[in-house]
Amino acid sequence: MIKAAIMGYGTVGAGVYEAVVTNQKVIAAEIGEALEVKRILDLRKFPGDPAEQLITDKFSDIEEDEEISLVVETMGGTTPAYEFVKAALLKGKHVVTSNKALVAAHGTELLQIARDRKVNFFFEAAVGGGIPVIRTLGTGYQGQVITEITGILNGTTNYILTRMDREGAEFGDVLADAQRLGYAERNPEADIEGHDTCRKIAILSSLVTGKEVNFEDVYTEGISKIDSTDFRYALELKASIKLVGAAQFAGDQVTVSVFPLLVSDENPLYAVQGVYNGIVIKGNLLGTTMLYGSGAGKLPTASAVLADMMEAAKHKNENVRFGWTAEKQAVTSHESEKHRYFVRLSGDAASLAAAKEQFEAERVIQLPGLEEVAIVSAPMTEFTYRERAVKVPNILAMIRAELSAR
């Protein structure tokens, strides 16, 4: 029998316990022996809970228990999660986590400790919730070169943008609803300013390159400046607005960034609505594929954690080749990225004339009732756009766009 511990008995931790209990026969048949949760670490007591007798508030009860060979971390944050996970690995225990902040900040070190101790550090649930994107990248795309990843990686921001799109609602109103419904935190900064997406695309980029992509090197913009007028234009353009994490791989040149993107109805990400995630992966052999599913939630996330637990159980006496090394991956400046640009301007003739010339406008849009106009630029680099934007008076807003010239 494999005995495990869960650190953190919130939504995901409770889901993991439920998944292990509910699917115990399936799990045992798959890994060849029973899997049991022996301890759960949490400061709360949970009277009447099915796992009440397993709760401890002492990490040492897990760390020092030689019967526990597998530890699941669902606490969130980096402290004390980092200290506890590191200690568990040093004790020779396998660790599975759903914590993207932990993986982004300390993944390189923890992966190396796992290799040195011949155990495993897995984190499928850290990106994409229940979508098996990390395992797919590691096995499903073997033998080919990944050239690009573009993903909707945060359900909270996608929920907000979907509501704004469908209802014409304003950002602040939908954010308040998302907080009331539990989709957004009381302090939503990590989601709406793109930091959560930044950490996730950095993890995926590290897996592709095999080197550490530091999330602090990733250019990041959030969605707090998007308003209902942007979506009126998007409707006219047969498009929508999504917050994406994007990475491009061209030999040693790696570009990683996070920003709102105006996507046409021909883009597979256009159809990703609500709290769902979608990840488009391009490879030199397979072409374009998309993974789609629940990006969060109790049982979807628990299913990804459980898959990692079972993988660790199947390799309980060895380290599986996985992750990236301590070698640093240089990230090319986002100014080299090439996009079309959707630009809103105050509606005077001088601004429009300057914009059409500087941005080589492929389309001009004017909506009834608005004292402004918008253009869609020709493709150009971020550097070129910024260089030319200073010559255009009265720019109201800009969103990068993936639109055809139609």
Side-chain angles (χ1 to χ4, degrees):
M1 176 180 288
I2 294 174
K3 296 192 177 184
I6 299 171
M7 300 193 300
Y9 199 55
T11 299
V12 177
V16 173
Y17 178 75
E18 181 181 337
V20 171
V21 172
T22 302
N23 285 14
Q24 55 185 310
K25 290 184 179 179
V26 175
I27 295 166
E30 179 69 23
I31 66 176
E33 57 186 311
L35 173 63
E36 176 188 277
V37 176
K38 184 178 181 181
R39 286 286 190 180
I40 297 174
L41 178 68
D42 205 289
L43 296 178
R44 298 163 292 177
K45 297 301 182 185
F46 301 95
D49 190 275
E52 179 183 3
Q53 299 305 314
L54 308 181
I55 303 292
T56 178
D57 59 3
K58 299 181 179 65
F59 172 64
S60 59
D61 288 343
I62 294 171
E63 182 184 20
E64 301 302 331
D65 191 332
E66 294 185 0
E67 284 193 328
I68 295 173
S69 61
L70 174 59
V71 176
V72 175
E73 186 277 307
T74 54
M75 303 170 70
T78 56
T79 301
Y82 163 66
E83 290 81 6
F84 289 175
V85 166
K86 182 176 179 179
L89 289 169
L90 288 170
K91 279 287 187 178
K93 303 177 190 293
H94 301 279
V95 175
V96 171
T97 183
S98 61
N99 188 341
K100 66 270 182 180
L102 173 70
V103 178
H106 301 289
T108 302
E109 178 189 4
L110 298 174
L111 282 164
Q112 189 57 53
I113 293 172
R115 294 183 193 111
D116 294 341
R117 291 296 189 275
K118 294 182 173 55
V119 292
N120 292 291
F121 177 59
F122 292 146
F123 42 85
E124 179 64 66
V127 180
I131 304 173
V133 60
I134 289 176
R135 187 163 285 105
T136 302
L137 272 177
T139 59
Y141 290 89
Q142 290 184 87
Q144 68 181 299
V145 178
I146 303 298
T147 58
E148 186 175 330
I149 298 177
T150 307
I152 296 170
L153 301 170
N154 182 276
T156 299
T157 53
N158 205 48
Y159 169 82
I160 292 170
L161 294 173
T162 298
R163 287 274 309 276
M164 293 176 72
D165 191 0
R166 290 176 175 174
E167 303 169 18
E170 293 294 349
F171 171 80
D173 296 332
V174 182
L175 173 59
D177 285 346
Q179 290 172 312
R180 190 182 72 253
L181 293 169
Y183 293 146
E185 301 288 344
R186 182 175 299 177
N187 179 0
E189 181 180 354
D191 293 324
I192 65 173
E193 297 302 338
H195 305 315
D196 179 79
T197 297
C198 167
R199 285 165 171 78
K200 292 173 179 177
I201 194 64
I203 291 169
L204 294 180
S205 300
S206 297
L207 288 166
V208 170
T209 63
K211 304 174 185 178
E212 181 188 278
V213 174
N214 190 330
F215 70 93
E216 294 179 341
D217 295 336
V218 176
Y219 175 80
T220 303
E221 286 183 19
I223 65 168
S224 57
K225 295 180 182 178
I226 303 296
D227 63 28
S228 60
T229 302
D230 293 320
F231 280 99
R232 289 184 60 186
Y233 283 109
L235 180 64
E236 181 70 17
L237 291 164
K238 298 182 180 179
S240 189
I241 302 167
K242 306 292 185 181
L243 181 71
V244 302
Q248 296 178 331
F249 311 96
D252 292 334
Q253 298 295 307
V254 177
T255 305
V256 191
S257 51
V258 175
F259 48 78
L261 183 67
L262 195 65
V263 296
S264 76
D265 58 6
E266 298 172 347
N267 188 308
L269 293 177
Y270 175 88
V272 180
Q273 304 288 323
V275 295
Y276 284 85
N277 284 192
I279 305 163
V280 175
I281 301 172
K282 295 183 180 180
N284 70 329
L285 301 178
L286 187 59
T288 300
T289 57
M290 185 175 85
L291 303 174
Y292 168 84
S294 297
K298 180 180 180 179
L299 292 180
T301 305
S303 73
V305 173
L306 178 58
D308 273 349
M309 294 173 72
M310 293 173 66
E311 187 72 7
K314 291 176 184 178
H315 298 89
K316 60 183 179 180
N317 297 316
E318 62 179 331
N319 173 262
V320 177
R321 184 178 178 184
F322 172 73
W324 56 86
T325 70
E327 184 179 354
K328 308 298 183 184
Q329 172 63 59
V331 176
T332 304
S333 169
H334 77 282
E335 292 189 339
S336 65
E337 295 180 37
K338 182 175 285 189
H339 304 279
R340 286 184 169 86
Y341 294 84
F342 163 78
V343 185
R344 289 169 51 191
L345 312 125
S346 60
D348 60 272
S351 296
L352 177 58
K356 289 172 68 175
E357 177 185 358
Q358 292 295 327
F359 300 136
E360 304 169 43
E362 295 181 341
R363 186 165 178 180
V364 177
I365 312 104
Q366 187 154 21
L367 299 179
L370 294 181
E371 296 182 357
E372 62 175 74
V373 294
I375 63 103
V376 176
S377 79
M380 62 184 66
T381 65
E382 186 89 10
F383 177 82
T384 300
Y385 168 79
R386 293 184 182 279
E387 190 176 50
R388 296 182 181 185
V390 298
K391 303 174 184 176
V392 179
N394 303 326
I395 292 178
L396 302 174
M398 178 276 284
I399 302 174
R400 295 160 190 84
E402 189 163 299
L403 303 168
S404 58
R406 60 181 183 180

